[in-house]
Amino acid sequence: MDVCLLYFEDCPNWKVTDRRLVAIAAEHPEVRIRRQRVETREQAEQVGFRGSPTVLVDGADAFAAPDPAGGLSCRVYPTADGLAGAPTLEQLYAALGLAQEATR
């Protein structure tokens, strides 16, 4: 499974998502993580960037919403604890279609 983390450098939330994806990949070797920095609005439109961080799973936005692409801004995710700047570990497992390890 190809997971691409799209981000822009000024958003701190992509690093949280990256750490969570790395933890998942450590348990699931079929998960390959790529990181792609988005630097311009044009590039954001080309890759379907909805704000930082955006997680693409096999090319599709894992948390797609009907709203238009977000451009160079931080993205907000609804979680059980309210809005957050990154998807939770549980949300990432679900988006990747993976069972979460019992030790978590």
Side-chain angles (χ1 to χ4, degrees):
M1 168 183 332
D2 178 57
V3 177
C4 183
L5 176 60
L6 301 173
Y7 68 95
F8 78 95
E9 196 62 43
D10 290 339
C11 181
N13 301 319
W14 78 268
K15 294 178 183 178
V16 173
T17 303
D18 185 56
R19 284 192 299 272
R20 292 174 181 165
L21 288 170
V22 167
I24 291 170
E27 296 173 353
H28 296 276
E30 71 275 18
V31 175
R32 294 173 311 281
I33 303 169
R34 295 182 302 112
R35 294 150 190 90
Q36 181 177 344
R37 185 171 56 201
V38 177
E39 298 178 351
T40 66
R41 291 195 185 278
E42 293 78 20
Q43 185 184 17
E45 289 176 18
Q46 288 174 343
V47 297
F49 187 62
R50 291 175 141 20
S52 182
T54 290
V55 178
L56 302 180
V57 179
D58 294 329
D61 188 332
F63 299 94
D67 58 334
L72 299 178
S73 62
C74 290
R75 188 169 177 172
V76 177
Y77 291 86
T79 72
D81 295 325
L83 296 178
T88 65
L89 191 59
E90 293 78 15
Q91 287 174 310
L92 288 167
Y93 271 102
L96 299 175
L98 298 171
Q100 190 170 2
E101 298 294 319
T103 59
R104 294 215 179 267

